[in-house]
Amino acid sequence: MEIVYSRCAGLDVHKKTVVACAITPKSGGGWNKEIKTFGTMTNDLLQLSDWLTVRECTHVAMESTGEYWRPIFNILEANFEVLLVNAHHITDSPHKSGNPPMRLSSKMYLDGKLIQRMLNGLENC
């Protein structure tokens, strides 16, 4: 399988928490998978951004359900390519695990077939 994004993260967004899973290459081959939970206040989201930056993530994916993704998107878009994805595409992923951000990031680095939803021009957002 083609690796499309070698340094990426998936986010599971909730009202009071954001669970991030970063997947990065190991120096000797293979993959590092790190999971960390952050709050949703501005300072917490800035810490999330710093955490992703230290891991040199280039792409971050999260589901665009509800309204909770908006402040996260606003903070992360300055430093990362943020992909808003349809939850249906994650649920049907062949890379299923019990961990939503792991599914997001696994799908990103393995086959890159996430559907990017553009904010500009979307009337329903």
Side-chain angles (χ1 to χ4, degrees):
M1 254 187 251
E2 177 188 5
I3 296 171
V4 178
Y5 306 118
S6 62
R7 293 184 169 273
C8 59
L11 304 180
D12 189 15
V13 178
H14 301 278
K15 183 176 182 177
K16 295 186 179 187
T17 61
V18 179
V19 180
C21 175
I23 296 182
T24 56
K26 290 181 182 178
S27 58
W31 300 98
N32 284 318
K33 297 177 186 177
E34 297 178 72
I35 298 175
K36 186 168 180 179
T37 301
F38 298 87
T40 55
M41 303 303 285
T42 301
N43 190 48
D44 300 321
L45 298 179
L46 292 171
Q47 289 176 12
L48 167 61
S49 181
D50 291 344
W51 187 79
L52 294 168
T53 299
V54 166
R55 281 144 190 82
E56 300 177 0
C57 291
T58 57
H59 292 74
V60 179
M62 64 181 157
E63 295 176 0
S64 59
T65 53
E67 296 292 321
Y68 303 128
W69 63 270
R70 291 177 185 265
I72 299 160
F73 182 94
N74 291 337
I75 287 178
L76 296 181
E77 72 175 331
N79 298 315
F80 308 97
E81 182 73 26
V82 181
L83 306 168
L84 297 176
V85 298
N86 184 325
H88 175 73
H89 292 103
I90 302 307
T91 303
D92 292 344
S93 170
H95 314 292
K96 290 181 181 177
S97 76
N99 183 325
M102 184 72 78
R103 284 197 306 267
L104 279 168
S105 46
S106 294
K107 189 163 176 63
M108 283 178 68
Y109 86 82
L110 287 175
D111 60 27
K113 292 182 180 175
L114 292 174
I115 305 300
Q116 182 175 3
R117 294 188 59 200
M118 306 305 285
L119 286 177
N120 297 335
L122 288 180
E123 296 177 7
N124 61 345
C125 287

